[in-house]
């Protein structure tokens, strides 16, 4: 690749003689340039093989990440760990502005979470007194507690997705770089595919773009050439083998993967089991698969939960197949399957503990 020259002038509150290093933020052992602080100032300069993201580290502090490219000025100020960058690079400014928005949203979400936890604590403290009344306040408080407890924290990685899909900076290298932070799945791979096609032609030649393109293409290929659920024959407690053909009249199968050794997993499966009657009325059947390595523990917990005959123990080979082909490496996990041809409809079925679970299943059936 054609190299480019860079120069970063800096001011710092660090003591004279402190070491300033330009490094790879993904691999801090890979260092490019070093300089020493003199009279509160330093200069990092040299040549690099690729425009992109690098880190400036003072002594052994947390590196400040910035975008470096040729033909741009970089002035960096540091004061007790806080950095301010002034630059003529549009890509670098994009990254600075995004980072500021990210940290602002992070503070807002933390504040919301603290307020929500405070409300939960207050309501829990009032429940015993409300239980003595007969005015319905206890029931209302319990409903509110359930609503508040069901709220999941905002995933800050959504900000990267929003930037990629909504940004007008189609030539900014920040866009493909952000693909390292996003999850590409069934619901969004088409949107990411379209976004990548809109990127500037020059940008599409950069290694960052090639990485993003490959990440989306893997998911795109999976869903557009969806594999079928493998022909495995695990056994239930009664030593009967799984026969998926028994479910050919169903509209959809929910395959729930769980572990008896995981309290969270057992809790999820318990909630799903409670909703089986509703699901069956909709034409949906549930099949349970254990990811346990301890068969005795699975048998004991299965009996305690009364999961019934459609609860199977996966052997080592079955678990390896499901992990390698479908990413089932954690519990609980859910696959939604078409019982007519055993094709996977969803790799990430909805969480059965959520209040809107049944509604989401109905909507999925209509859509598919």
């Amino acid at each position: 690749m054609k190299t480019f020259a860079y120069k970063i002038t800096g001011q710092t509150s660090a003591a004279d003689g402190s070491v300033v290093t330009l490094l790879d933020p993904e691999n801090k052992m890979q260092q490019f340039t070093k300089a020493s602080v003199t009279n509160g100032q330093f200069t990092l300069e040299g040549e690099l093989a690729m425009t992109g993201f690098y880190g400036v580290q003072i002594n052994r502090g947390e590196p400040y990440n910035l975008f470096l490219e040729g033909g741009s000025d970089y002035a960096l100020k540091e004061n007790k760990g806080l950095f301010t960058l002034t630059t003529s690079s549009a890509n670098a400014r994009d990254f600075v502005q995004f980072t500021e928005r990210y940290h602002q949203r992070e503070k807002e979400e933390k504040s919301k979470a603290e307020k929500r936890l405070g409300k939960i604590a207050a309501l829990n403290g009032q429940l015993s007194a409300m239980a003595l009344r007969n005015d319905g306040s206890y029931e209302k408080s319990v409903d509110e507690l359930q609503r508040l407890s069901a709220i999941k924290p905002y995933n800050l990685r959504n900000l990267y997705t929003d930037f990629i899909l909504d940004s007008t900076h189609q030539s900014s290298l920040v866009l493909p770089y952000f693909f390292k932070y996003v999850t590409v799945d069934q619901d969004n791979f088409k949107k990411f595919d379209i976004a990548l096609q809109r990127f500037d032609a020059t940008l599409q030649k950069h290694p960052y773009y090639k990485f993003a393109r490959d990440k989306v293409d893997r998911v795109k290929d999976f869903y557009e050439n969806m594999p079928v659920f493998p022909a495995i024959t695990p056994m239930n407690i009664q030593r009967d083998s799984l026969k998926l053909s028994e479910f050919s009249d169903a509209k959809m199968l929910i395959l729930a993967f769980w572990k008896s050794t995981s309290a969270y997993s057992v809790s999820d499966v318990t909630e799903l089991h409670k909703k089986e009657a509703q699901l069956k009325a909709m034409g949906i059947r549930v099949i349970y698969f254990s990811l346990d390595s301890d068969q005795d523990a699975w048998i004991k917990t299965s009996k305690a939960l009364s999961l019934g005959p459609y609860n199977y123990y996966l052997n080592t080979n079955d678990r390896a197949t499901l992990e390698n082909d479908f990413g089932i490496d954690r519990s609980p996990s859910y696959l939604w399957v078409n019982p007519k041809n055993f094709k996977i409809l969803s790799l990430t079925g909805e969480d059965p503990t959520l209040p809107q679970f049944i509604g989401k299943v109905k909507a999925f059936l209509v859509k598919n």
Side-chain angles (χ1 to χ4, degrees):
M1 283 188 177
K2 184 179 179 180
T3 61
F4 72 94
Y6 70 91
K7 183 177 181 179
I8 305 170
T9 58
Q11 297 180 17
T12 177
S13 59
D16 282 5
S18 296
V19 178
V20 183
T21 309
L22 184 73
L23 46 73
D24 180 350
E26 303 301 323
N27 178 13
K28 296 176 184 177
M29 298 299 292
Q30 184 175 355
Q31 301 176 351
F32 303 100
T33 314
K34 285 188 178 181
S36 295
V37 175
T38 303
N39 297 325
Q41 298 182 336
F42 64 87
T43 301
L44 292 168
E45 58 184 328
E47 290 191 348
L48 292 168
M50 186 178 75
T51 58
F53 288 88
Y54 296 87
V56 174
Q57 184 181 51
I58 301 177
N59 291 324
R60 295 186 178 275
E62 187 65 24
Y64 174 80
N65 293 346
L66 74 166
F67 185 92
L68 284 179
E69 60 184 337
S72 298
D73 300 319
Y74 294 87
L76 187 62
K77 291 183 179 180
E78 181 274 340
N79 184 30
K80 298 179 180 179
L82 298 177
F83 292 84
T84 303
L85 178 67
T86 303
T87 176
S88 59
S89 165
N91 287 310
R93 290 198 302 271
D94 283 346
F95 187 62
V96 169
Q97 290 166 6
F98 175 86
T99 302
E100 290 173 351
R101 289 198 298 269
Y102 184 96
H103 290 316
Q104 179 60 35
R105 183 63 180 269
E106 190 175 35
K107 291 180 182 177
E108 292 171 359
E109 294 302 325
K110 183 179 179 181
S111 176
K112 288 180 184 178
E114 290 174 348
K115 288 179 181 178
R116 181 171 59 84
L117 292 174
K119 289 180 181 178
I120 290 174
L123 285 170
N124 278 323
Q126 298 168 10
L127 282 181
S128 57
M130 291 180 180
L132 301 175
R133 306 175 193 169
N134 194 24
D135 57 1
S137 59
Y138 178 83
E139 289 76 10
K140 288 180 180 178
S141 295
V142 169
D143 289 342
E144 179 64 4
L145 275 171
Q146 291 178 340
R147 186 190 71 81
L148 291 171
S149 300
I151 297 174
K152 292 193 173 182
Y154 176 79
N155 185 355
L156 287 168
R157 291 200 171 197
N158 290 338
L159 296 175
Y160 295 104
T161 297
D162 294 341
F163 190 91
I164 291 169
L165 297 180
D166 299 337
S167 178
T168 57
H169 305 291
Q170 296 306 319
S171 62
S172 173
L173 269 171
V174 171
L175 290 161
Y177 178 77
F178 279 177
F179 270 83
K180 65 183 290 186
Y181 299 112
V182 302
T183 298
V184 183
D185 55 30
Q186 184 180 14
D187 294 328
N188 62 26
F189 78 87
K190 291 181 180 179
K191 295 178 182 178
F192 283 131
D193 184 32
I194 293 171
L196 284 169
Q197 293 175 41
R198 291 198 306 258
F199 285 3
D200 182 86
T202 302
L203 181 59
Q204 293 188 23
K205 296 177 183 179
H206 196 281
Y208 285 163
Y209 180 88
K210 296 179 186 298
F211 161 78
R213 181 74 268 175
D214 182 58
K215 185 171 183 176
V216 173
D217 283 348
R218 284 199 303 271
V219 179
K220 181 181 178 182
D221 180 66
F222 183 90
Y223 281 105
E224 292 184 350
N225 302 283
M226 183 65 75
V228 298
F229 190 73
I232 58 175
T233 54
M235 291 186 177
N236 62 15
I237 295 177
Q238 292 77 28
R239 308 296 294 173
D240 295 324
S241 296
L242 170 68
K243 296 177 182 176
L244 285 177
S245 56
E246 293 181 20
F247 304 93
S248 59
D249 292 337
K251 290 183 179 179
M252 188 174 79
L253 301 178
I254 292 180
L255 309 186
F257 299 86
W258 67 291
K259 273 186 181 179
S260 64
T261 53
S262 167
Y264 177 56
S265 181
V266 170
S267 175
D268 266 36
V269 167
T270 301
E271 288 301 312
L272 179 59
H273 188 44
K274 290 177 182 177
K275 296 171 182 175
E276 271 197 68
Q278 286 177 276
L279 293 168
K280 191 173 182 180
M282 296 161 55
I284 299 170
R285 303 298 298 275
V286 180
I287 306 175
Y288 302 93
F289 294 97
S290 169
L291 298 174
D292 284 292
S293 55
D294 185 340
Q295 192 171 22
D296 291 336
W298 163 68
I299 292 173
K300 180 180 179 181
T301 307
S302 295
K303 289 180 177 178
L305 297 177
S306 302
L307 292 182
Y310 301 116
N311 171 36
Y312 299 88
Y313 183 81
L314 296 170
N315 61 38
T316 303
N317 290 335
D318 291 341
R319 292 200 301 271
T321 297
L322 290 164
E323 179 176 349
N324 294 332
D325 293 352
F326 304 101
I328 304 297
D329 58 351
R330 64 191 183 282
S331 65
S333 291
Y334 305 97
L335 291 183
W336 289 3
V337 177
N338 183 336
K340 305 294 188 295
N341 52 23
F342 308 130
K343 281 198 171 184
I344 309 298
L345 298 174
S346 174
L347 285 173
T348 53
E350 297 290 342
D351 183 346
T353 65
L354 297 178
Q356 61 269 35
F357 172 70
I358 295 296
K360 288 195 172 186
V361 174
K362 288 179 180 178
F364 185 87
L365 283 179
V366 171
K367 183 179 178 180
N368 293 272

